[in-house]
Amino acid sequence: MSARWTICSLLQDLGARGEAPAIIASSEHSIVTWDCTMVATNAVGLAASLRARSLGHGVPVVLWGPNSPLWIVAALGVLAAGAVLVPVDDLAEEAQLEAVLRRSGSHMLLTTQQHEAECAKLLGRLGAESWLLDTVAGEQIALISPNAAAPMLAPATTDPAALFWTSGTTGSPKAFFLTHGNIASNAEALRALAIIGPGDRALLPLPLHHAYPFVVGMLSTLTCGTAIVLPDGATGSLIMKALTDGEATAIIGVPRLYDALVAAIQSRVEKRGVALRLGWRGLLRFVIAMQHATGLQPGSFLFNAVRRAIAPHLRYLVSGGARLERDTAETLAALGWIVLSGYGLPRRPRSLPATA
């Protein structure tokens, strides 16, 4: 990949990786893998389709659907077209979708058959168009353009790439843009750290309509040559199944996920009798003290059996989106995992486009 990240350089790099896995989707009954060529080809083709419909530079395009390989391909295609991606929570209700369409000024919705049926009257009332993501032909999204081979022009670093809303935990949700330059800064910084690479697989259980999983979990992970592992939901059983199915070496999560992991481990220990419980607590305190005093991680071998029972390939736990509590981070590190925590993404706020 070139020194300066662009969406075009990412897609070119994906295409060059051929049959290496890019996305591994785990469900209750199956595992579906999209290789790098499939992802790149479909994203480039979708970008050509959007540009052919004058849905390119600066035009807002709303994306409404669950995490899936199709969602990722659609997002990459919108970015490559130079349009502005406006992702919506898969669980959003019609009123929320209407607010997003009106505030963003978008008249194009990429969505699923189920969601299209739910919002057909709304789209008609607003004069908006919808394209279905889950209509596929073989290994290709059916709506892509036959002119997929047309050359791509990388958007300028100052061009808006995506419009997100804050979570609203400290007040009303606020809209903000990430530019292509904002995304490039994060992708390049994480690539330079060389924490994960082509030999890794990163579990991404977070909804992609938020900035942190979108930039760090999706774009930066693909930039590093790492395959994304998608669970079929956010329940503990589906996440654990995806960890195993995808042979994940990393998790890109949020603090509450890791709090739950620590609580689940401790709950198992509590059920194993007084002697084992006291021994566990003492050993854990000893390992944490050793980490503080020497910087060493004796838990990497002392608790190897515990880690292998949970996820045999897992090495890295990446946390973002909120502050990871020290007790949680210390416990996970004492068990032998490498814990990486970062909170916040650099962004340059931009005003919303005028609505019709």
Side-chain angles (χ1 to χ4, degrees), residues 262 265-266 279-303 325-337 339:
V262 169
I265 294 172
Q266 291 176 338
W280 167 272
R281 291 174 181 173
L283 185 57
L284 202 59
R285 284 195 296 267
F286 166 76
V287 171
I288 292 174
M290 284 286 291
Q291 288 177 171
H292 287 168
T294 67
L296 299 175
Q297 264 196 318
S300 60
F301 58 88
L302 290 175
F303 292 112
E325 293 297 333
R326 180 177 176 178
D327 287 349
T328 299
E330 286 184 342
T331 299
L332 293 171
L335 292 173
W337 285 302
V339 181

Side-chain angles (χ1 to χ4, degrees), residues 64 111-121 123 130-132:
W64 186 28
T111 191
T112 62
Q113 296 181 61
Q114 177 181 339
H115 282 331
E116 185 187 53
E118 294 169 355
C119 67
K121 292 182 180 179
L123 296 177
S130 62
W131 281 0
L132 291 176

Side-chain angles (χ1 to χ4, degrees), residues 216-293:
V216 176
M218 187 183 89
L219 293 175
S220 296
T221 296
L222 291 174
T223 297
C224 293
T226 299
I228 295 171
V229 179
L230 294 177
D232 198 28
T235 64
S237 60
L238 290 174
I239 289 174
M240 293 305 299
K241 185 176 187 302
L243 274 171
T244 302
D245 288 348
E247 299 182 352
T249 59
I251 298 176
I252 299 175
V254 290
R256 66 177 179 273
L257 173 64
Y258 300 120
D259 292 340
L261 175 58
V262 169
I265 294 172
Q266 291 176 338
S267 176
R268 287 189 181 185
V269 173
E270 292 295 322
K271 297 175 182 178
R272 299 295 293 274
V274 175
L276 189 146
R277 184 165 65 245
L278 294 176
W280 167 272
R281 291 174 181 173
L283 185 57
L284 202 59
R285 284 195 296 267
F286 166 76
V287 171
I288 292 174
M290 284 286 291
Q291 288 177 171
H292 287 168

Side-chain angles (χ1 to χ4, degrees), residues 117-247:
E118 294 169 355
C119 67
K121 292 182 180 179
L122 170 65
L123 296 177
R125 190 166 70 248
L126 297 179
E129 183 180 359
S130 62
W131 281 0
L132 291 176
L133 293 178
D134 50 355
T135 302
V136 295
E139 296 180 347
Q140 181 168 286
I141 297 178
L143 54 80
I144 75 166
S145 167
N147 299 316
M152 294 186 298
L153 296 176
T157 57
T158 54
D159 285 347
L163 174 61
F164 292 97
W165 271 263
T166 59
S167 62
T169 53
T170 58
S172 299
K174 298 176 180 62
F176 65 93
F177 281 102
L178 290 182
T179 66
H180 283 269
N182 295 146
I183 293 173
S185 296
N186 282 277
E188 290 166 2
L190 291 170
R191 180 178 59 187
L193 290 174
I195 296 168
I196 56 175
D200 289 298
R201 297 179 175 191
L203 180 78
L204 182 53
L206 308 176
L208 287 167
H209 69 279
H210 290 305
Y212 164 61
F214 181 78
V215 176
V216 176
M218 187 183 89
L219 293 175
S220 296
T221 296
L222 291 174
T223 297
C224 293
T226 299
I228 295 171
V229 179
L230 294 177
D232 198 28
T235 64
S237 60
L238 290 174
I239 289 174
M240 293 305 299
K241 185 176 187 302
L243 274 171
T244 302
D245 288 348
E247 299 182 352

Side-chain angles (χ1 to χ4, degrees), residues 14-37:
L14 280 171
R17 295 176 200 162
E19 296 182 355
I23 308 168
I24 302 166
S26 167
S27 69
E28 188 175 356
H29 303 294
S30 66
I31 306 171
V32 176
T33 299
W34 283 47
D35 66 36
C36 292
T37 295

